[in-house]
Amino acid sequence: MRRGRALRDLGTDQSGVVFLEFLIAFVPMWTFFLCTVQLAFSAYADLVVKHSADSAARSAAVVLADDPSYYGGEPERSLDRNRVSLNDFRQALGRLGSSFRGSPNPRGIAATLSNDVLVNLGRSRLNTIRLAAHVPAMPLSPFNVGQNSRPSLAEAVAGERRLLSALYYQPFALAVTFPGAQADVATGPEIVVRVTYAYQCVIPWARRLLCSPFHDLDFQSELDDAFFPTAQRLVGGRFRVIRRESALMIHDAPYEYRTQGGGQS
């Protein structure tokens, strides 16, 4: 009798109904809010990548017809993939280490870093254009691209970004390609530059709904043309593909450069 009465009381009990209704309404509304914030961040990233493509196109318009002596004799309009090898990095680190041992002056170290290491590391017309694309995209640098890259909501909205994360992330997550170029040579009067970027989604829960793991992105063939693609297998987190293009006329002139220097013949 007592058990039957308890079951009847449980079936007619109305306590907790408001809380249950709140949960039913709150979960989809909270998910919608998080997805809206993530889409807003993605729209901001799209504008940054568009600016990156414009910057790369402005660089290409000048660099492609520039003096070959500035690029190790590389022919004009060349878009050759001069990738950076591990040996290049070893030599660059050796030059930087020598500057630390021989010149404790910070100015001397900075001069070696900027004038020797960065300039000679993979120097080509393509890498010069890549650099023009990389700098505007640095504000999009991720918090962490390791296997446990899951920033909190507070970090995602107002977290501190570091320049170092951009320096180690962008060389394999940003690709500069040239639709319409034939055999790595710009043949037309204008150059079309496409910047493809793997943008890290940072909003909890929304990133699982709207974004994909790095190895599942649909632009792996484009990322093969990134500056240093071998580190891609170490990436964790969730990402979205952003592509933007920009086109400009190449600023060339009907004369040949001298063999040494940049004057007219």
Side-chain angles (χ1 to χ4, degrees):
M1 291 289 295
R2 185 173 298 176
R3 178 177 297 179
R5 183 180 302 172
L7 291 176
R8 287 195 301 271
D9 292 341
L10 181 62
T12 58
D13 189 3
Q14 298 294 319
S15 60
V17 172
V18 174
F19 179 69
L20 181 61
E21 291 176 346
F22 168 77
L23 289 180
I24 295 174
F26 174 78
V27 172
M29 290 299 296
W30 180 243
T31 301
F32 174 77
F33 169 74
L34 292 179
C35 290
T36 301
V37 174
Q38 182 59 73
L39 290 174
F41 280 15
S42 299
Y44 158 73
D46 185 77
L47 292 175
V48 174
V49 175
K50 172 58 178 173
H51 177 56
S52 176
D54 291 340
S55 178
R58 290 194 296 269
S59 175
V62 176
V63 166
L64 290 178
D66 199 6
D67 189 345
S69 65
Y70 295 145
Y71 308 95
E74 184 180 351
E76 294 182 37
R77 293 175 173 260
S78 171
L79 297 170
D80 189 27
R81 266 66 178 169
N82 186 10
R83 292 177 178 151
V84 178
S85 65
L86 292 178
N87 187 50
D88 293 331
F89 271 107
R90 293 192 190 98
Q91 293 178 358
L93 291 176
R95 291 192 295 269
L96 187 59
S98 299
S99 68
F100 274 101
R101 293 190 298 268
S103 176
N105 186 354
R107 289 187 177 181
I109 296 173
T112 300
L113 181 63
S114 61
N115 297 330
D116 186 17
V117 176
L118 295 181
V119 169
N120 294 321
L121 192 61
R123 179 64 168 172
S124 69
R125 299 180 193 273
L126 174 61
N127 287 339
T128 303
I129 298 170
R130 282 172 172 164
L131 180 60
H134 279 269
V135 173
M138 282 186 174
L140 300 179
S141 59
F143 294 93
N144 181 18
V145 293
Q147 297 301 321
N148 296 318
S149 177
R150 294 189 295 270
S152 65
L153 182 60
E155 290 174 329
V157 174
E160 181 182 2
R161 303 293 183 99
R162 298 184 182 276
L163 176 63
L164 182 61
S165 64
L167 294 179
Y168 74 71
Y169 174 69
Q170 289 189 185
F172 61 83
L174 186 150
V176 179
T177 53
F178 305 89
Q182 299 179 0
D184 294 334
V185 176
T187 57
E190 70 174 12
I191 183 67
V192 179
V193 181
R194 174 186 295 163
V195 173
T196 307
Y197 186 73
Y199 169 67
Q200 184 192 38
C201 299
V202 292
I203 303 300
W205 182 242
R207 60 183 174 234
R208 301 190 65 87
L209 298 176
L210 301 177
C211 307
S212 304
F214 196 92
H215 56 79
D216 289 341
L217 299 179
D218 63 350
F219 70 141
Q220 293 301 318
S221 60
E222 295 176 62
L223 283 185
D224 288 340
D225 290 327
F227 189 75
F228 190 58
T230 57
Q232 295 167 9
R233 62 179 179 269
L234 305 176
V235 178
R238 296 272 174 162
F239 302 86
R240 294 191 65 167
V241 176
I242 301 178
R243 293 184 182 90
R244 300 296 292 188
E245 293 184 3
S246 186
L248 280 177
M249 301 295 292
I250 297 176
H251 298 173
D252 56 359
Y255 59 78
E256 295 183 358
Y257 290 101
R258 293 174 179 170
T259 303
Q260 301 292 331
Q264 301 179 12
S265 59

